[in-house]
């Protein structure tokens, strides 16, 4: 397992670098100016030139390496050995200023919004796990029974309905009609439940399908018959013997799912007014806010790679056969 | 314990633990995030804002929500009565105007203080106005300062000084040299620009020419002061380029120091901003509410729901697709919380006025008669009543009628009325006549009128308007049109490159003078997206600048407005913007209904 983790760790910088490079090329090619807003008053040409020069926006090559060095901490490290200059007091990983939100640095923006999205994403995955595994097991115990078909329908609905629809419906039902919870607020566990539930639906549906499939396979396997023959209780057979193996595909799905839930919550954040990072992923591109685009992409890419790594490690831990690989 | 029993226990426990471990991990990290959030007691009232404040640095402000916050936390030389837009004293208790009306001497009040207890001094204004005039600051409104003597020259001088510094050898560009460069620029400012602190409490401004709206500018946010020691702590000079770099850490509490009725107690990015009474404010009895919370709700429907459920007290702009239905409910008496105010702005479509399009085609709209013909064939009443359905007044002029005191008070500028027959005749006069009977007009060479491309930014209501206008032109003139929706960045780019025939546009006035609108038609103006250039029009504005008195000046500006809305039509005005607020008029008081949509948050109050 150590070998696996080590190998994957070594791959990580190259994957992130590739993502950074491709995104940089695309973002640089975006039309319009990276230093002024669309709808605002246009400052004089000298000011634009001065600003572009100040932030290296007049030279893509310099910008590419400069930003990479600042954002990854290479420049900070270099300055410790006296190899490079680095402003005193600047953070180790310096993602630069936001050109659109002039009072904020990308570090501040990410620092205040990423934890929110991480909490929301993890909450959604937790809910998805509880509901998905539960529904999957119920469905698998009596295939094609009423309960199975009912869970199938629930899963189908969960995976097909877009979250702006389910989110709006839930918003209208709970806070507006029933007076449960608050609209447009964020700060307590209660505020988190509706958005997390909305975000969890497609994941729950997929997990339910994975669990059901795995359980049906496992329940028909020889070792289950042996377990039953030994006189093991049904609960023990289902939860210990069958679920343990049926859970493996779910586990490998969890990594990308968790990363996606943390980074892809844009629509849910919009509907429930959650102050997360998802909207900046979209806004930054629309505004050509280069520092923010590159910063968010670097963080998202790292997050995704690390989540996959964590899941691979967990996988190896749960299923000892993987260790050999 | 018996070894076998222990092993059996492990066999059950370990796999269960392995399955449950990720779950425990997830739950504990969520708890950790939520525990770091500290709730504050409810504010006196809550405002729903569509977009976050961009900056709390007054010199860099340009957006409505930024300026509204500025008026709550800073105080300038003067302010308005925001119901009438008369000028009232603020930090300046009184002021004297010289005989030639070019020198203003402001006498600052001696009890005005910053929120850290420092007195507000005349020097603070010099510092702030100099900042606005440093090209390094990239202030959106530096151009407005150009009516001060020497200001425009200084702005150019500093740009050149930096460009020259950039050409020096690397060895000569040290931190010391860059700081010296900044000191030289500041000294040059003090010598050449007509802004002076005569003593701690006397501030003198000398203008290029008599300017009747100068005091209006003194009440405008970008002319408000900042606290120099606080700002200076985050300023450094870049040795490479000689540029003054300003970090904005100071705009966030607890660092921010302001001199207005409120101080910023909390500001969380794209989430909320909380204002509380400034303990050092000189006139505390004026401030109606103890605290204000502005909550950022970008989703328009979310803001309305937040109001309906009592989470916010005032929706600053209702922007939902179902607004026409809400307006209908209001008419039926089913609601009373939708409040319409006129706006200091006009929605229009721009004509590309240049001779050639960038792809080399001849531009038919270079001819003012064609532009007039197109304008006369648009039934604006239908667009407002059937397409928009939001109760906007139709506009035939660029400046909303009656919005500026002393300008066209008799209502003599009418613009062009809806007259399809007249429009067709005018198009014929310009040489476009249907010569081969196919319904499309041709020019003398037999070339048909080109397909008119209608440029607009996507995800917006402009498409409906473009479709409606296209149908009107086809019916009245036989001219066909095509929609050209573009992403907003590309739309903006196309506008600047004049890569369009007609494009959606709009303009909001900044200050109480006709030039705030008319300047966009000036040759070479940064906001002249139409490439309109007319010597007669430029001459009228120039003569207005030199007019002997206000009345003569207004008559010249009226002529400029009449000329561009009745004869040359660089833009086709459609309607004046309106804004719908949402609040309960019986329990929420103090909101001004003036078109300049300026609200002083300290005047607002939740009663009952």
């Amino acid at each position: 397992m150590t070998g696996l983790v080590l190998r994957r760790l070594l791959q990580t910088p190259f994957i992130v670098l590739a993502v950074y490079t491709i995104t940089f090329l695309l973002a640089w090619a975006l039309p319009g100016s990276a230093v002024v807003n669309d709808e605002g008053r246009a400052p004089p040409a000298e000011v634009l030139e001065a600003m572009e020069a100040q932030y290296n926006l007049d030279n893509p090559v310099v910008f590419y390496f400069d930003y990479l060095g600042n954002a990854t901490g290479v420049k900070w490290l270099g300055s410790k050995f006296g190899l490079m200059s680095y402003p005193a007091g600047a953070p180790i990983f310096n993602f630069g200023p936001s050109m659109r939100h002039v009072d904020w640095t990308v570090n501040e923006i990410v620092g205040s919004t990423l934890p929110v999205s991480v909490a929301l994403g993890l909450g959604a995955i937790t809910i998805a796990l509880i509901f998905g595994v539960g529904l999957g097991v119920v469905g698998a115990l009596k295939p094609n029974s009423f309960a199975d078909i009912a869970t199938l329908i629930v899963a189908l609905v969960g995976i097909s309905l877009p979250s702006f629809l389910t989110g709006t419906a839930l918003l209208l039902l709970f806070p507006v009609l029933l007076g449960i919870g608050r609209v447009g607020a964020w700060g307590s566990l209660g505020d988190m439940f509706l958005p997390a539930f909305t975000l969890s639906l497609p994941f729950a549906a997929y997990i339910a399908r994975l669990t059901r499939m795995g359980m049906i396979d496992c329940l028909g396997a020889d070792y289950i018959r042996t377990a039953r023959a030994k006189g093991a209780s049904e609960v023990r057979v289902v939860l210990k013997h069958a679920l343990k193996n049926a859970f493996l595909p779910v586990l490998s799905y969890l990594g990308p799912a968790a990363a996606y839930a943390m980074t892809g919550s844009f629509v849910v954040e919009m509907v429930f007014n959650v102050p997360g990072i998802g909207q900046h992923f979209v806004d930054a591109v629309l505004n050509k806010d280069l520092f923010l685009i590159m910063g968010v992409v670097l963080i998202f890419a790292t997050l995704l790679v690390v989540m996959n790594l964590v899941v691979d490690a967990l996988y190896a831990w749960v299923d000892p056969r993987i260790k050999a690989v | 314990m018996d070894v076998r029993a222990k092993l059996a226990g492990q066999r059950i426990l370990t796999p269960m633990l392995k399955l449950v471990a990720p779950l425990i991990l997830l739950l504990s990290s969520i708890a950790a995030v939520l525990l770091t959030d500290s709730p504050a007691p409810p504010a006196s009232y809550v405002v729903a804002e569509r977009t976050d404040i961009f900056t709390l640095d007054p010199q860099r402000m340009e957006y409505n929500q930024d300026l509204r916050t500025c008026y709550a936390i800073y105080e300038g030389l003067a302010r308005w009565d925001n119901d009438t837009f008369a000028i009232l004293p603020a930090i300046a208790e009184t002021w004297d105007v010289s005989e030639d009306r070019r020198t203003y001497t402001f006498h600052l009040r001696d009890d005005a203080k910053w929120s850290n207890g420092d007195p507000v001094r005349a020097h603070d204004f010099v510092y702030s106005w100099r900042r606005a005039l440093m090209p390094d600051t990239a202030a959106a409104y530096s151009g407005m300062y150009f009516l001060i003597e020497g200001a425009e020259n200084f702005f150019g001088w500093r740009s050149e000084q930096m460009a020259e510094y950039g050409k020096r050898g690397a060895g000569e560009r040290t931190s010391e040299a860059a700081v010296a460069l900044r000191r030289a620029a500041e000294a040059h400012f003090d010598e050449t620009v007509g802004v002076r602190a005569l003593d701690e409490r006397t501030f003198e401004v000398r203008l290029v020419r008599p300017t009747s709206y100068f005091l209006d500018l003194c009440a405008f946010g970008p002319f408000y002061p900042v606290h120099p020691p606080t700002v200076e702590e985050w300023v450094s000079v870049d040795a490479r380029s000689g540029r003054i770099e300003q970090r904005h850490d100071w705009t966030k509490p607890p660092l921010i120091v302001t001199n207005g009725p409120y101080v910023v107690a909390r500001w969380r990015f794209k989430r909320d901003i909380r204002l509380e009474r400034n303990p050092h404010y000189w006139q505390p009895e004026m401030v109606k509410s103890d605290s204000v919370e502005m909550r950022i709700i970008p989703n328009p429907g979310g803001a309305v729901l937040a109001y309906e459920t009592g989470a916010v007290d005032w929706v600053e702009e209702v922007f939902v697709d179902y607004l026409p239905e809400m307006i209908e409910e209001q008419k039926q008496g089913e609601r009373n919380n939708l409040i319409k105010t006129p706006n200091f702005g006009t929605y229009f479509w721009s004509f590309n006025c240049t001779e050639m399009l960038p792809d080399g085609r001849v531009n038919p709209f270079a001819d003012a008669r064609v532009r007039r013909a197109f304008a006369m064939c648009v039934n604006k009443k239908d667009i407002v009543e059937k397409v928009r359905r939001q109760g906007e007044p139709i506009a035939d002029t660029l400046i909303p009628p009656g919005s500026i005191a002393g300008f066209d008070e008799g209502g003599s500028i009418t613009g062009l009325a809806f007259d399809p027959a007249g429009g067709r005749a005018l198009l014929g006069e310009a040489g476009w006549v249907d010569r081969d009977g196919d319904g499309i007009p041709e020019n003398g060479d037999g070339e048909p009128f080109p397909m008119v491309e209608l440029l607009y930014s996507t995800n917006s209501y402009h498409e409906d308007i473009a479709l409606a206008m296209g149908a009107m032109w086809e019916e009245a003139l036989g001219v066909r049109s095509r929609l050209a929706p573009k992403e907003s960045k590309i739309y903006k780019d196309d506008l600047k490159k004049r890569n369009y025939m007609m494009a959606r546009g709009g303009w909001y006035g900044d200050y109480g003078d006709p030039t705030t609108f008319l300047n966009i038609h000036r040759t070479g103006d940064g906001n002249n997206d139409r490439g309109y250039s007319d010597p007669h029009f430029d001459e009228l504005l120039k003569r207005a600048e030199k007019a002997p008195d206000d009345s003569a000046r207004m008559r010249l500006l009226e002529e400029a407005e009449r000329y561009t809305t009745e004869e040359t039509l660089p833009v086709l005005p459609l309607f004046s913007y309106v804004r719908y607020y949402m609040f309960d008029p019986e329990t929420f008081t103090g909101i001004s209904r003036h078109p300049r949509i300026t609200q002083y948050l300290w005047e607002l109050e939740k009663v009952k």
Side-chain angles (χ1 to χ4, degrees):
Chain A
M1 192 166 100
T2 326
L4 172 103
V5 171
L6 212 65
R7 202 160 55 242
R8 295 293 299 272
L9 264 180
L10 284 174
Q11 286 171 359
T12 304
F14 295 98
I15 297 171
V16 175
L17 186 69
V19 173
Y20 173 79
T21 309
I22 294 168
T23 314
F24 173 76
L25 292 175
L26 291 174
W28 193 268
L30 283 173
S33 163
V35 288
V36 283
N37 299 330
D38 283 327
E39 297 297 333
R41 304 287 188 266
E46 296 96 329
V47 176
L48 290 185
E49 274 165 35
M51 288 180 79
E52 281 177 3
Q54 178 171 343
Y55 297 111
N56 293 325
L57 290 167
D58 50 354
N59 188 335
V61 179
V62 174
F63 183 91
Y64 177 91
F65 287 106
D66 203 56
Y67 190 83
L68 196 62
N70 281 324
T72 53
V74 169
K75 281 206 160 187
W76 174 82
L77 202 67
S79 72
K80 292 289 143 197
F81 294 101
L83 301 171
M84 298 169 202
S85 70
Y86 197 67
I92 299 173
F93 304 103
N94 187 359
F95 295 101
S98 164
M99 289 286 117
R100 171 90 166 150
H101 307 284
V102 292
D103 279 18
W104 302 87
T105 63
V106 176
N107 289 51
E108 286 172 320
I109 291 176
V110 170
S112 89
T113 56
L114 186 65
V116 172
S117 286
V118 167
L120 180 64
L122 292 180
I125 289 299
T126 313
I127 296 173
L129 260 180
I130 294 167
F131 278 90
V133 171
L135 286 176
V137 169
V138 169
L141 285 181
K142 286 183 184 145
N144 302 322
S145 66
F146 172 73
D148 184 30
I149 291 169
T151 57
L152 199 112
I153 291 171
V154 171
L156 193 72
V157 169
I159 215 161
S160 328
L161 279 186
S163 45
F164 63 84
L165 194 73
T166 42
T168 312
L170 288 172
L171 200 61
L172 284 175
L173 182 65
F174 287 98
V176 177
L177 285 179
L178 302 176
I180 304 169
R182 305 186 289 174
V183 178
W186 176 264
S188 71
L189 200 62
D191 295 331
M192 189 170 136
F193 184 75
L194 281 184
F197 181 72
T198 311
L199 186 60
S200 78
L201 285 178
F203 300 111
Y206 196 72
I207 290 174
R209 302 308 297 156
L210 281 177
T211 313
R212 179 180 177 273
M213 229 156 46
M215 283 297 281
I216 289 176
D217 276 356
C218 290
L219 285 172
D222 289 345
Y223 74 95
I224 295 293
R225 206 172 315 133
T226 312
R228 285 204 173 113
K230 275 197 318 191
S233 72
E234 190 59 22
V235 175
R236 196 180 147 93
V237 169
V238 171
L239 290 186
K240 193 200 161 210
H241 295 279
L243 186 59
K244 189 183 149 193
N245 281 315
F247 189 70
L248 285 177
V250 175
L251 188 63
S252 61
Y253 169 67
L254 274 187
Y260 185 74
M262 290 175 206
T263 59
S265 49
F266 167 64
V267 175
V268 173
E269 284 176 16
M270 195 72 187
V271 170
F272 291 96
N273 204 38
V274 177
I277 199 171
Q279 49 183 314
H280 306 303
F281 203 33
V282 178
D283 278 357
V285 176
L286 288 178
N287 297 323
K288 198 178 177 183
D289 196 341
L290 265 184
F291 291 92
L292 193 54
I293 298 176
M294 299 320 297
V296 172
V297 160
L298 274 177
I299 289 162
F300 277 12
T302 312
L303 199 68
L304 206 77
V305 174
V306 168
M307 286 310 286
N308 276 326
L309 181 69
V310 168
V311 164
D312 283 348
L314 270 178
Y315 204 81
W317 182 49
V318 173
D319 187 349
R321 285 171 299 179
I322 308 279
K323 281 178 193 170
V325 182
Chain B
M1 193 197 271
D2 178 8
V3 178
R4 271 178 59 200
K6 196 176 165 194
L7 277 176
Q10 240 178 22
R11 269 204 299 276
I12 302 173
L13 269 177
T14 323
M16 285 308 280
L17 183 78
K18 284 183 178 177
L19 290 182
V20 173
L23 218 81
I24 295 172
L25 206 80
L26 290 180
L27 287 172
S28 48
S29 26
I30 297 167
V33 169
L34 287 172
L35 281 176
T36 56
D37 235 26
S38 54
S44 305
Y45 65 87
V46 183
V47 187
E49 295 277 1
R50 265 182 74 206
T51 24
D52 197 1
I53 310 303
F54 282 98
T55 178
L56 290 182
D57 175 349
Q59 269 78 55
R60 295 202 64 182
M61 287 183 179
E62 54 181 319
Y63 290 95
N64 196 269
Q65 68 274 19
D66 294 30
L67 290 167
R68 195 182 319 120
T69 315
C70 174
Y71 299 136
I73 61 176
Y74 293 100
E75 190 165 46
L77 293 168
R79 62 184 165 81
W80 298 294
D81 174 331
N82 65 357
D83 291 316
T84 61
F85 275 75
I87 304 290
L88 302 175
I91 295 288
E93 218 166 3
T94 56
W95 49 82
D96 310 316
V97 186
S98 68
E99 193 75 11
D100 64 356
R101 298 191 300 132
R102 286 178 55 199
T103 306
Y104 285 72
T105 312
F106 296 93
H107 305 285
L108 310 196
R109 36 182 345 113
D110 53 15
D111 51 355
K113 287 198 173 72
W114 290 97
S115 54
N116 65 353
D118 288 356
V120 179
R121 301 167 310 143
H123 172 75
D124 300 343
F125 282 91
V126 176
Y127 178 87
S128 308
W129 290 23
R130 186 174 64 207
R131 258 181 112 229
L133 275 169
M134 287 280 184
D136 322 42
T137 310
Y141 283 119
S142 354
M144 282 205 175
Y145 282 86
F146 289 176
L147 51 85
I148 298 169
E149 194 175 67
E152 192 165 4
N153 283 339
F154 172 78
F155 190 85
W157 182 89
R158 168 70 179 163
S159 304
E160 266 170 44
Q161 186 205 27
M162 277 193 300
E164 191 199 316
Y165 179 86
K167 285 184 204 125
R168 288 190 203 171
E172 289 175 61
R173 284 181 288 160
T174 57
S175 318
E176 292 75 32
V179 171
L181 195 77
R182 179 188 178 193
R183 297 289 163 238
E186 287 172 351
H188 188 75
F189 178 93
D190 292 341
E191 278 164 33
T192 62
V193 182
V195 170
R196 225 158 253 114
L198 298 184
D199 61 51
E200 289 273 287
R201 309 239 156 259
T202 318
F203 178 59
E204 186 196 84
V205 183
R206 185 150 175 82
L207 307 180
V208 176
R209 66 187 82 89
T211 308
S212 52
Y213 58 91
F214 172 64
L215 287 173
D216 199 80
L217 291 186
C218 291
F220 182 51
F223 287 75
Y224 282 23
V226 290
H227 185 243
T230 303
V231 175
E232 205 54 33
E233 219 168 291
W234 303 96
V235 168
S236 58
V237 189
D238 182 33
R240 221 166 2 122
S241 60
R243 241 165 261 121
I244 301 169
E245 288 192 27
Q246 311 219 14
R247 277 171 59 195
H248 278 93
D249 301 49
W250 64 269
T251 61
K252 276 148 274 172
L255 299 175
I256 185 166
V257 174
T258 61
N259 69 334
Y262 288 112
V263 290
V264 185
R266 183 169 76 184
W267 183 16
R268 294 187 293 190
F269 179 72
K270 279 209 179 168
R271 189 162 168 182
D272 53 18
I273 185 161
R274 190 185 169 96
L275 309 180
E276 268 159 26
R277 273 176 188 277
N278 176 357
H280 291 283
Y281 187 57
W282 61 276
Q283 200 184 6
E285 67 280 4
M286 192 185 76
V287 185
K288 298 268 171 47
S289 297
D290 288 337
S291 56
V292 185
E293 185 186 323
M294 286 174 269
R295 198 173 295 160
I296 320 304
I297 309 183
N299 175 11
V304 169
L305 284 185
Y307 176 85
E308 304 272 12
T309 53
V312 302
D313 300 297
W314 173 35
V315 181
E316 178 269 325
E317 184 172 15
V318 182
F319 213 72
V320 288
D321 295 335
Y322 48 90
L323 181 58
E325 283 72 26
M326 290 173 73
I327 296 169
E328 195 51 38
E329 283 174 21
Q330 179 114 336
K331 272 192 199 140
Q332 305 293 330
E334 288 160 24
R335 63 163 77 236
N336 70 339
N337 47 23
L338 211 52
I339 284 84
K340 174 177 157 185
T341 55
N343 256 8
F344 198 42
T346 304
Y347 178 88
F348 55 73
W349 277 68
S350 296
F351 289 108
N352 186 346
C353 298
T354 53
E355 292 293 329
M356 302 284 260
L357 298 173
D359 57 11
R361 282 180 295 163
V362 174
N363 178 14
F365 293 107
D367 186 336
R369 288 171 299 185
V370 177
R371 302 199 291 264
R372 253 151 59 206
F374 270 65
M376 286 158 81
C377 295
V378 173
N379 185 345
K380 297 172 189 173
K381 192 160 172 282
D382 273 4
I383 287 185
V384 166
E385 285 175 6
K386 295 182 184 155
V387 181
R388 286 289 292 158
R389 298 189 299 142
Q390 298 194 358
E392 289 106 342
I394 66 166
D396 296 316
T397 55
L398 180 61
I399 302 174
S403 63
I404 297 168
F407 179 79
D408 191 31
E409 287 184 330
S412 65
I413 305 170
T414 57
L416 295 177
F418 176 54
D419 176 11
R424 197 163 35 239
L426 201 57
L427 197 65
E429 209 178 289
W432 297 98
V433 185
D434 181 14
R435 295 165 207 270
D436 54 8
D438 63 353
I440 303 169
E442 287 89 23
N443 64 9
D445 301 333
E447 291 164 5
F449 199 95
M451 180 82 82
V452 179
E453 285 145 26
L454 301 171
L455 172 71
Y456 59 91
S457 41
T458 43
N459 296 329
S460 55
Y461 57 88
H462 313 296
E463 182 164 280
D464 300 338
I465 292 172
L467 281 171
M469 288 194 306
M472 290 169 188
W473 290 323
E474 176 141 26
E475 196 192 320
L477 303 172
V479 172
R480 304 241 182 94
S481 56
R482 190 173 64 209
L483 302 181
K486 300 272 174 77
E487 276 298 326
S488 60
K489 277 273 174 193
I490 305 173
Y491 155 81
K492 189 82 180 172
D493 216 41
D494 278 352
L495 272 188
K496 292 291 167 211
K497 291 182 183 147
R498 319 268 184 261
N499 186 21
Y500 70 95
M501 289 189 186
M502 288 189 71
R504 73 98 183 163
W507 189 255
Y508 283 91
D510 291 317
Y511 51 95
D513 188 79
T515 51
T516 191
F517 284 95
L518 293 174
N519 277 344
I520 68 168
H521 293 331
R522 230 184 241 270
T523 301
D525 187 272
N527 295 301
N528 185 346
D529 294 332
R530 291 143 291 278
Y532 176 72
S533 173
D534 188 315
H536 177 60
F537 178 84
D538 292 342
E539 177 63 25
L540 281 171
L541 290 199
K542 226 172 252 146
R543 276 169 57 203
E545 281 172 7
K546 299 194 177 98
D549 60 73
D550 277 355
S551 164
R553 180 169 173 276
M554 282 299 184
R555 298 298 88 77
L556 285 162
L557 295 174
E558 281 166 10
E559 171 55 18
E561 165 82 339
R562 193 203 58 76
Y563 182 66
T564 43
T565 55
E566 292 176 10
E567 290 185 36
T568 59
L569 272 285
V571 300
L572 159 46
L574 286 175
F575 53 80
S576 301
Y577 286 114
V578 296
R579 177 179 286 236
Y580 283 91
Y581 295 134
M582 203 173 183
F583 63 87
D584 183 344
E586 275 157 33
T587 61
F588 196 66
T589 62
I591 290 194
S592 154
R593 319 287 166 93
H594 192 277
R596 283 180 63 184
I597 51 167
T598 299
Q599 306 299 345
Y600 289 139
L601 293 174
W602 39 266
E603 281 186 335
L604 311 188
E605 189 182 11
K606 204 158 104 179
V607 291
K608 265 203 265 186

